[in-house]
Amino acid sequence: MHCESTKFMTRQVWQLPNAAKSRWLCRWLVPVICLGSTAPALPNLSAEEPSPQLVKALTYQPRQADVKYEKVAEPQLGECSIEEVTRDDGTGFLVSGPAGQPLRWFADTDGDKRLDRWSYYNAGVEVYRESDIGSPESSRPNGTADEYRWLSTEGLRWGSDKDEDGEIDSWSMISAEEVTAEAVRATANRDSERFSRLLITEAEIRELGLGTEKQELLLQRIADAKKQFEAWSGGQNVVSPKGQWTNFGADKPGIVPAGTDGSKKDVVVYENAVALLEDAGEARQLLVGTIIQVGNRWRLVDLPRGISEGAVMDDSGVFFSATFTPKGATGGPIATSGISKAMERLVTELQEVDGKLVKGEGDTAALQARRADVLEKLISAAASEDERQTWIRQFADTVSTAAQTGDYPTGVARLKEFSEKLETVKASTEDLAYVAFRTLTAEHNYRMQQPKAEYEKLQEEYLGNLRQYVRDYPASQDAAEAMIQIALSAEFTGEVKEAAEWYAQAAKNFGDMTAGKKAEGALRRLNLAGKPFSIKGNTLDGRGFSSDSYVGGPVVYHCWASWCEGCKAEMRALKELQAKYAKQKLRVVGINLDNQAAQGAAFLKQNSFPWVHLYDEGGLESTLAVGYGVLTLPANFIVDKEGKVVKTGVHWTELESVIEGLVK
């Protein structure tokens, strides 16, 4: 089975068993993350004596405090089970709950008979993982976690613990929203080390390629922030130890283009970002200011500031500068988010609903309906078209997601009702198109999850709806994605000519967009047969690579990622084929498309696939993936001994027959 890109559904997914397909459909957008535990070697489980092992397994807790995972009440322990199993990601023991849902998965992933991964689940979905990959200090796995990742519905934080003391030393991945949440926790706990981990480092500032003046400004700001945080957090009265982050407030991010003030690269920033929080039943706001994107991390540059009543607010920031001074305040200008005072009551209500959803308080469907009500009010009260569009899109995104995950069973009907309202008020075509695409996507995925779903019929209806969408909204940005989905479906069913036509249309109409460039790359891929395949780059371990040196025998260029289970199945098959056809000089070259090189490197450290692995930064948005239209994983390019492409898109079940034909 192919592991799909999150944006595309293929026939392989439609034919999955209900449970597996449902999990894929519900969770395809969600990122993955890990935690850390210390545990002994794999236990010797016994069918006659499961209870002690089960109880022991359920006593393990994440080393990080803020993990929302499913726990089992003592009366329900007898309904749980534990079994020793072997899966693609290792051998270990799986703990299941009363409804058969996974609760814990503690595994040995490298075959040394010692646990090195501890996974925790919530509602059947892995939400947190601790891994022992071997830190520089320990040099090799030793049974103690040194990496923590939050996954799925819990976000995408990925922390490193080099000295294995249970404290995160640095962030490998963290979103802008999570940065503001971490800032609130650091402020609430007066934790200067936790706050310092959020600040941009000197090396990262150099990496941004800013002009000298801006570099020096940032260096001074972070130095001041580190020195002043302890005193500031102890004296502020906005966030108490009981303060809880509820939401993220900011305008859309902006790009500081290369050439600005001597900069060499584009820089993506949020200015005047605000952490919305609840403290002692009151809605409060903490201004975290400028947040800068550095790779997969977002970084702070300043001390947070409390936003108090009576502040006169204008835009301000490090890159898009203007300032305001609170009434009666001293000590110079302060930046703020510019959140409209007229919207404060509704935003507060939205915070309240979000807080209950995060904590799991109350009926989820009712809370989602209430949230949709508040968003509609915010749309009506919006002071500008940009503000109105922001709330419209948030409505479409959140209701669509809730409908697909089952949190809002009537969400699709609510989206259709919302679309009708937008038409009566003569909303812009752009807004109508945005809502329409998310409505048809949510409806399709929701219907596919139903127990008696007729997958082939539903897919045909979905493709028909996508074609109608392209006719109704040909200029919409989502039309490009609709075209690609139609093309990809045609490609997987062998209708290559139709696929090429749709890819060509998307490339022609949306050539300046990433989707259009992907379509152009897919068209190039479909026409590669008989042409030379040339690729140069760097390997995961930093060495240079050129396909020019890989001539004289057949080569399989295999695109993979550590999150793709189908890729792992193909890699095992390729390993066997490489050994079988060693005399015929069959070679394999991996092309890793993880978002971060560390992800691919960590996987290979625990799994032996002894061939060269290139790395192209950016995952499925990387230059190589876009250039060759790699829309799903795994993907293969089979090249003959002269360096010419024989076939692309070969499934692992076909690999041996294709290679055998080459060597004969």
Side-chain angles (χ1 to χ4, degrees):
M1 182 189 76
H2 276 48
C3 290
E4 300 310 321
S5 158
T6 57
K7 291 186 177 179
F8 303 103
M9 179 162 311
T10 66
R11 186 170 301 273
Q12 281 73 12
V13 175
W14 320 333
Q15 295 174 347
L16 286 173
N18 283 356
K21 172 168 25 59
S22 178
R23 282 195 297 273
W24 188 91
L25 290 167
C26 290
R27 307 296 176 187
W28 55 285
L29 282 175
V30 184
V32 181
I33 310 189
C34 312
L35 277 175
S37 284
T38 302
L42 285 174
N44 181 20
L45 298 182
S46 166
E48 291 77 22
E49 214 173 43
S51 295
Q53 297 291 356
L54 174 65
V55 173
K56 184 176 182 180
L58 288 174
T59 61
Y60 282 106
Q61 298 180 7
R63 299 182 81 183
Q64 303 304 310
D66 56 335
V67 180
K68 299 179 180 65
Y69 63 100
E70 188 170 354
K71 301 175 184 178
V72 179
E74 189 171 346
Q76 291 183 301
L77 285 176
E79 301 174 52
C80 300
S81 64
I82 183 170
E83 59 179 326
E84 186 172 354
V85 298
T86 297
R87 311 191 317 191
D88 287 344
D89 57 345
T91 297
F93 55 99
L94 177 68
V95 180
S96 301
Q101 77 277 24
L103 297 174
R104 312 283 188 273
W105 166 238
F106 299 153
D108 165 25
T109 65
D110 59 8
D112 67 353
K113 304 300 182 183
R114 183 190 294 273
L115 294 179
D116 52 38
R117 180 181 295 172
W118 302 267
S119 297
Y120 296 80
Y121 291 73
N122 194 15
V125 177
E126 186 182 7
V127 292
Y128 176 78
R129 180 191 300 170
E130 300 178 347
S131 297
D132 175 22
I133 64 171
S135 67
E137 283 74 7
S138 63
S139 75
R140 61 185 298 275
N142 59 6
T144 302
D146 45 43
E147 201 175 67
Y148 313 118
R149 296 187 70 187
W150 285 255
L151 309 167
S152 304
T153 54
E154 289 306 301
L156 51 76
R157 281 176 293 163
W158 184 345
S160 174
D161 177 12
K162 294 180 180 179
D163 55 8
E164 301 179 342
D165 64 352
E167 296 289 332
I168 292 173
D169 303 315
S170 61
W171 292 107
S172 300
M173 185 183 298
I174 187 167
S175 67
E177 293 87 345
E178 289 166 320
V179 164
T180 65
E182 282 288 309
V184 169
R185 295 185 191 105
T187 303
N189 298 325
R190 316 297 191 252
D191 189 336
S192 57
E193 290 187 6
R194 189 169 191 165
F195 173 72
S196 293
R197 289 194 292 269
L198 303 174
L199 290 169
I200 192 168
T201 66
E202 182 174 348
E204 289 170 335
I205 292 174
R206 306 295 183 200
E207 182 183 335
L208 291 175
L210 298 171
T212 302
E213 184 177 343
K214 194 66 74 177
Q215 283 192 26
E216 294 304 319
L217 172 63
L218 292 181
L219 288 169
Q220 186 60 53
R221 288 202 178 212
I222 61 172
D224 291 344
K226 288 179 181 178
K227 291 178 184 177
Q228 298 168 12
F229 179 80
E230 188 171 350
W232 169 80
S233 61
Q236 59 83 33
N237 58 7
V238 175
V239 187
S240 78
K242 295 183 179 180
Q244 295 290 322
W245 180 92
T246 60
N247 216 324
F248 172 73
D251 198 357
K252 49 186 171 290
I255 289 181
V256 182
T260 304
D261 298 326
S263 64
K264 298 177 181 178
K265 302 178 183 177
D266 289 351
V267 180
V268 182
V269 302
Y270 276 108
E271 291 281 37
N272 311 311
V274 171
L276 307 176
L277 61 129
E278 183 178 315
D279 204 321
E282 294 183 12
R284 299 183 182 179
Q285 300 177 18
L286 185 71
L287 175 71
V288 297
T290 300
I291 315 181
I292 305 176
Q293 185 178 31
V294 185
N296 289 322
R297 303 175 299 281
W298 286 83
R299 311 298 262 156
L300 294 181
V301 301
D302 268 325
L303 276 180
R305 300 290 180 93
I307 300 177
S308 59
E309 288 289 333
V312 179
M313 301 179 182
D314 297 307
D315 289 335
S316 178
V318 173
F319 294 94
F320 315 127
S321 184
T323 59
F324 82 96
T325 302
K327 291 180 179 177
T330 59
I334 301 174
T336 180
S337 67
I339 293 178
S340 170
K341 194 71 175 176
M343 309 284 274
E344 187 171 346
R345 181 183 60 80
L346 291 171
V347 171
T348 300
E349 187 177 355
L350 192 64
Q351 288 179 243
E352 179 189 342
V353 175
D354 284 344
K356 290 183 177 180
L357 285 168
V358 168
K359 296 174 185 176
E361 298 176 356
D363 181 80
T364 301
L367 287 170
Q368 291 288 357
R370 183 182 167 194
R371 192 180 197 283
D373 291 340
V374 176
L375 285 169
E376 286 204 45
K377 293 176 183 177
L378 284 164
I379 292 166
S380 298
S384 68
E385 284 302 313
D386 284 347
E387 193 175 277
R388 183 169 179 264
Q389 185 179 78
T390 296
W391 294 119
I392 287 174
R393 296 194 172 201
Q394 186 173 147
F395 181 100
D397 289 335
T398 56
V399 175
S400 173
T401 300
Q404 293 174 73
T405 58
D407 288 344
Y408 193 7
T410 59
V412 172
R414 184 65 183 265
L415 283 166
K416 290 182 177 180
E417 178 188 334
F418 182 63
S419 296
E420 292 174 0
K421 289 180 181 178
L422 288 181
E423 289 177 359
T424 60
V425 298
K426 297 183 179 180
S428 70
T429 301
E430 186 179 355
D431 289 341
L432 289 171
Y434 192 89
V435 176
F437 189 75
R438 278 138 196 86
T439 301
L440 71 88
T441 301
E443 181 172 29
H444 173 66
N445 288 345
Y446 178 76
R447 293 174 68 189
M448 290 283 281
Q449 295 176 55
Q450 303 314 302
K452 296 182 180 180
E454 298 180 37
Y455 306 121
E456 296 287 347
K457 180 180 178 181
L458 290 176
Q459 184 65 13
E460 288 304 316
E461 289 181 11
Y462 180 55
L463 292 172
N465 289 335
L466 288 174
R467 292 186 179 95
Q468 185 60 49
Y469 180 86
V470 172
R471 288 192 289 270
D472 291 341
Y473 304 105
S476 164
Q477 292 188 3
D478 289 315
E481 184 176 328
M483 292 176 186
I484 289 177
Q485 290 197 37
I486 296 167
L488 190 63
S489 178
E491 187 178 346
F492 270 89
T493 54
E495 299 162 359
V496 179
K497 183 179 179 182
E498 182 184 354
E501 290 172 354
W502 281 104
Y503 284 138
Q505 186 178 345
K508 178 182 177 182
N509 295 356
F510 301 95
D512 58 341
M513 290 174 49
T514 299
K517 292 173 183 176
K518 286 183 178 181
E520 184 180 355
L523 198 59
R524 182 182 301 114
R525 172 172 50 77
L526 290 180
N527 292 293
L528 270 179
K531 297 178 182 178
F533 186 79
S534 178
I535 184 172
K536 295 181 180 180
N538 294 316
T539 63
L540 273 170
D541 54 6
R543 292 174 293 158
F545 173 87
S546 173
S547 57
D548 294 344
S549 61
Y550 272 59
V551 292
V555 184
V556 179
Y557 291 89
H558 177 255
C559 300
W560 66 278
S562 62
W563 49 262
C564 170
E565 295 302 321
C567 298
K568 297 169 189 176
E570 286 205 358
M571 291 165 86
R572 290 191 291 271
L574 285 168
K575 191 173 181 179
E576 293 177 4
L577 290 172
Q578 188 181 45
K580 182 176 181 179
Y581 294 106
K583 292 182 179 179
Q584 288 80 17
K585 298 182 180 180
L586 173 65
R587 288 185 283 184
V588 180
V589 176
I591 300 173
N592 178 247
L593 293 175
D594 275 305
N595 287 327
Q596 272 197 319
Q599 295 169 306
F603 172 78
L604 292 175
K605 191 172 183 179
Q606 297 177 353
N607 300 273
S608 176
F609 294 107
W611 50 77
V612 170
H613 294 270
L614 304 184
Y615 178 68
D616 195 27
E617 186 174 0
L620 287 167
E621 305 297 318
S622 66
T623 301
L624 186 145
V626 172
Y628 280 109
V630 179
L631 306 172
T632 66
L633 292 178
N636 293 298
F637 298 85
I638 312 298
V639 177
D640 64 18
K641 64 181 181 180
E642 296 176 353
K644 293 182 179 179
V645 176
V646 175
K647 195 170 183 181
T648 65
V650 184
H651 190 269
W652 69 272
T653 56
E654 305 173 86
L655 279 172
E656 184 164 10
S657 62
V658 175
I659 292 169
E660 193 170 313
L662 272 179
V663 299
K664 284 184 178 180

